[in-house]
Amino acid sequence: MKPPEKTPTTLEASDLEQITATTLQHYAASAESFREGTRDHDVSQNIAALLRHIEVPLPFSILDFGCGPGRDLKTFRALGHQPVGLDGCPRFVDMARADSGCEVWQQDFLQLDLPTERFDGIFANASLFHIPAQELSQVLSKLYATLRPGGVLFSSNPRGHNEEGWNGNRYGSYHDLDAWRRHLAAAGFVELEHYYRPAGLPCDQQPWLASVWRKPKT
């Protein structure tokens, strides 16, 4: 991904509303092409990274945070787990429900309303980077709260040098590993592993930072 067009200072409520509305409008307008363009993306490495760290009996209760059209919901369900999707784009929610047969919640990432200690794992694949850095703490605290003790959070985000702003009609925040660690540790998570993607390439050709985190059991 190219660098964003600007780096903001403090975002007001009206800025956050515009960020949400414009980004969701982009996805709604391109929903069909997005589904076709990502249908065959291989994220098996990421799915395996989440599942291998969950330490409770099968099946796992999993929140697919930013589930999009439902590709990964179908995979989790086929593996015998109990996934629930969440996305802010109404078109994606409809697609995901129809394609996966799973329960899917339509929620704004910046105004989450999640049940307490509901999930064994959260799969946040290419979703958390849409959250402005100043709002990340409150979002992570809600994800932390909806995990059961010992639960696991997976995230994969395009990495950068802690800049944020607009890429066309999508807003993004591009953290490096040190900054991402600080955000997650501040929310109470303990790091389990991290890696860069795609696998097998030089680091400068791996634009994605994947990481796995646990909510402590006590």
Side-chain angles (χ1 to χ4, degrees):
M1 288 188 178
K2 65 180 181 179
E5 294 174 0
K6 68 183 183 67
T7 301
T9 51
T10 300
L11 296 166
E12 304 296 336
S14 59
D15 299 318
L16 297 174
E17 291 173 2
Q18 180 191 10
I19 285 168
T20 297
T22 303
T23 301
L24 290 178
Q25 286 168 6
H26 165 85
Y27 282 115
S30 60
E32 293 290 348
S33 61
F34 183 90
R35 175 164 62 178
E36 293 307 312
T38 60
R39 186 188 300 276
D40 296 324
H41 282 189
D42 181 6
V43 296
S44 56
Q45 181 185 18
N46 295 345
I47 289 172
L50 170 68
L51 297 180
R52 68 171 163 263
H53 289 290
I54 299 177
E55 299 176 339
V56 298
L58 299 172
F60 303 150
S61 176
I62 296 170
L63 176 64
D64 188 351
F65 182 82
C67 66
R71 177 197 64 207
D72 302 328
L73 284 172
K74 293 171 66 175
T75 299
F76 285 122
R77 187 172 185 180
L79 291 171
H81 300 297
Q82 298 171 339
V84 173
L86 184 151
D87 207 279
C89 174
R91 186 72 185 103
F92 281 167
V93 170
D94 291 342
M95 288 177 169
R97 286 172 178 162
D99 289 355
S100 72
C102 295
E103 182 177 1
V104 183
W105 303 337
Q106 183 183 331
Q107 292 193 25
D108 179 343
F109 287 0
L110 302 186
Q111 300 183 44
L112 296 172
D113 182 13
L114 301 174
T116 301
E117 296 186 1
R118 166 71 167 78
F119 296 101
D120 303 310
I122 298 173
F123 189 66
N125 190 70
S127 55
L128 287 172
F129 82 99
H130 284 309
I131 296 168
Q134 74 177 45
E135 299 299 306
L136 191 55
S137 175
Q138 63 97 357
V139 172
L140 290 175
S141 70
K142 292 177 181 179
L143 296 183
Y144 185 95
T146 202
L147 278 174
R148 295 168 178 151
V152 177
L153 167 67
F154 170 88
S155 73
S156 180
N157 299 309
R159 61 193 180 103
H161 302 286
N162 307 310
E163 66 273 28
E164 64 180 283
W166 292 99
N167 272 328
N169 290 323
R170 298 192 306 170
Y171 193 91
S173 299
Y174 304 92
H175 307 278
D176 63 20
L177 177 59
D178 287 342
W180 192 242
R181 281 173 164 163
R182 289 194 296 271
H183 284 297
L184 273 291
F189 288 98
V190 176
E191 184 177 354
L192 298 173
E193 67 169 299
H194 75 273
Y195 54 90
Y196 297 108
R197 280 177 51 85
L201 295 177
C203 191
D204 62 358
Q205 297 176 39
Q206 294 176 309
W208 293 89
L209 168 62
S211 56
V212 191
W213 306 82
R214 189 180 307 282
K215 176 179 179 176
K217 295 180 181 179
T218 57

